[in-house]
């Protein structure tokens, strides 16, 4: 079991990614004080996994950085993260590049920024948010 401050899961065909994701989400749900960063880059968790992760992080006061690039996350995942970040005060960095959050997801995240005073980095690069999502 990893007891490090950072947990990076990137696309890897040599082990069961799903088992690692479940284990790390459980550690986040338990508010593991050693888990400061989660990187699920290319883990393929999609909207369902993003929604489950957002629910798991609702009581988390430790995690500072969440990287969910290239995860096939769409509007539902973005909405779940926006709701999470309205109440979470520990996450300072959220990277969602190369997903499909769209203008609707970007708008929800922008509205969250009116409430959240902790987040210092929000990366929505390559999410097809269009002009409407950027305004």
């Amino acid at each position: 079991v990893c007891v490090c401050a950072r947990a990076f899961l990137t696309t890897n065909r040599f082990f069961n990614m799903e088992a690692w994701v479940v284990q790390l989400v459980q550690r986040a749900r338990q508010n593991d004080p050693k888990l400061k960063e989660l990187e699920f880059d290319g883990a393929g968790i999609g909207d369902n996994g993003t929604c489950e992760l957002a629910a798991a992080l609702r009581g988390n006061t430790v995690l500072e950085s969440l990287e969910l690039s290239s995860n096939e996350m769409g509007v539902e995942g973005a909405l779940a993260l926006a709701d999470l970040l309205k109440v979470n005060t520990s996450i300072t960095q959220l990277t969602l590049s190369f997903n499909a959050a769209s203008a609707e997801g970007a708008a929800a995240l922008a509205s969250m920024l009116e409430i959240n005073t902790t987040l210092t980095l929000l990366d929505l690069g390559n999410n097809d948010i269009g002009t409407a999502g950027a305004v």
Side-chain angles (χ1 to χ4, degrees), residues 2-19:
C2 175
V3 292
C4 54
R6 295 178 178 184
F8 298 106
L9 280 183
T10 57
T11 305
N12 187 326
R13 60 187 175 101
F14 298 110
F15 70 91
N16 183 346
M17 180 91 64
E18 186 175 335

Side-chain angles (χ1 to χ4, degrees), residues 41-122:
D41 185 13
I45 64 173
D47 276 333
N48 289 340
T50 302
C51 291
E52 289 180 33
L53 179 59
L57 291 174
R58 281 197 91 64
N60 188 291
T61 59
V62 178
L63 192 70
E64 297 170 358
S65 177
L66 182 58
E67 157 70 70
L68 297 175
S69 294
S70 303
N71 267 292
E72 303 167 13
M73 182 204 75
V75 174
E76 294 301 318
L79 295 175
L81 290 171
D83 284 344
L84 164 68
L85 290 170
K86 288 177 182 175
V87 297
N88 181 284
T89 58
S90 66
I91 296 175
T92 60
Q93 298 180 13
L94 177 62
T95 305
L96 302 174
S97 58
F98 295 98
N99 281 294
S102 76
E104 183 181 351
L109 289 161
S111 292
M112 167 275 301
L113 291 172
E114 295 174 5
I115 298 166
N116 183 302
T117 59
T118 309
L119 198 66
T120 58
L121 172 81
L122 175 60

